[in-house]
Amino acid sequence: MIGVGKMKLYSNVLDRPLSKGKQEVSLSAFAFLFSEMVQYNQTQVDNIAELERRLEDAGYAVGARVLELLCHREKGNRRETRLLGILSFVHSTVWKVLFGKVADSLEKGTEHEDEYMISEKELLVNRFISIPKDMGTFNCGAFVAGIVRGVLDNAGFPAVVTAHFVPVEGQQRPRTTILIKFAEEVLRREARLG
Amino acid sequence: MPPVAPRSGDAIFTSVERVNAELFTLTYGAIVRQLLTDLEEVDEVNKQLDQMGYNIGIRLIDEFLAKSNVSRCVDFKETAEVIAKVGFKMFLGVTATVTNWDADGTTCSLVLEDNPLVDFVELPDTCQGLYYCNILSGVIRGALEMVSMKTEVTWIRDMLRGDDAFEMQVKLLKQVPEEYPYKDDE
């Protein structure tokens, strides 16, 4: 029957029309899936650094695909070439599409020229996660750090991205900061572009 | 207190917090990719996905029962309808249809036309034996086991393999009566 399944009509996945991105699933479905991912990775590693690295690698793959999807859908295939441009793309567009709101803040690091920070009061992925004391500074936001690294790397802005908890006065749960440290070449290129 | 009427899948879905389906799809893809890299064997990946789904299912059932207020299902037919109409809608935002009942009402098929797990996905030639959505079969098996039904869930049709829809066959193996955990004389 023609038209029964919209996927069958196209033999090549690239020929299918791109969805508008408005479809939603429940937060709990995502939370369950994320928790299973963290639990599975815990069985595969011996220490916290490895666990963070694995979550980051998973996020990197997501980030690469998110960049392609959003560049095509939201920005009409225009490519960002400036540092502030790509940062505001991540802070606004990427965050809005993935988490439903723009990130809480975007700041430039005061100590180093190549550091920028995106802060969020409560990362979506961390909402139902509590870290036991013996895991120290482990942050499941490493997944989101991976997504940001994936977006930046594939856009031509290689960087080291990490997630940190920053305790805030008067708030029970600490704020999460995604720290982005750009590579030398990015800063040199940015200086050359003026 | 009068019993609260069960809520429809749509009503619950609009009342829960939702996230972008693409984040969900891409995260699931990252998980499958990690499993394929670690385990390499497609059968192992299928088993692991089913196990992960089972772990999700045993916790998901609590949330399902809490949010949907469904009363105890009279028979397996009603169970399947509730899963298809309320369960899928509540968590994935899509509804399934129940078809292919067998003569004694213990086996049925759940058909999904729309599946948020498989957006943007195509199976390469090296992974033809992979049941990409096997996590769903684990979820259903785990959830039903927590309400005393032992089931077996298999995939009949898979859109990633060229079929026109996703069809899961749910077979009720047995109803396990609830065990009272304490001895009466202790």
Side-chain angles (χ1 to χ4, degrees), chain B residues 33-50:
Chain B
R33 246 194 323 276
Q34 269 192 330
L35 288 175
L36 281 169
T37 327
D38 292 337
L39 301 171
E40 282 165 31
E41 284 289 310
V42 164
D43 287 320
E44 287 295 313
V45 178
N46 285 339
K47 276 211 298 257
Q48 183 67 35
L49 280 176
D50 187 73

Side-chain angles (χ1 to χ4, degrees), chain A residues 155-173:
Chain A
F157 294 83
V160 172
V161 188
T162 45
H164 305 273
F165 280 126
V166 175
V168 175
E169 290 284 325
Q171 223 182 288
Q172 212 184 20
R173 304 252 293 180

Side-chain angles (χ1 to χ4, degrees), chain B residues 147-158:
Chain B
V147 284
S148 325
M149 285 183 244
K150 264 192 110 59
T151 50
E152 192 185 310
V153 186
T154 41
W155 286 99
I156 309 282
R157 282 189 285 167
D158 191 333

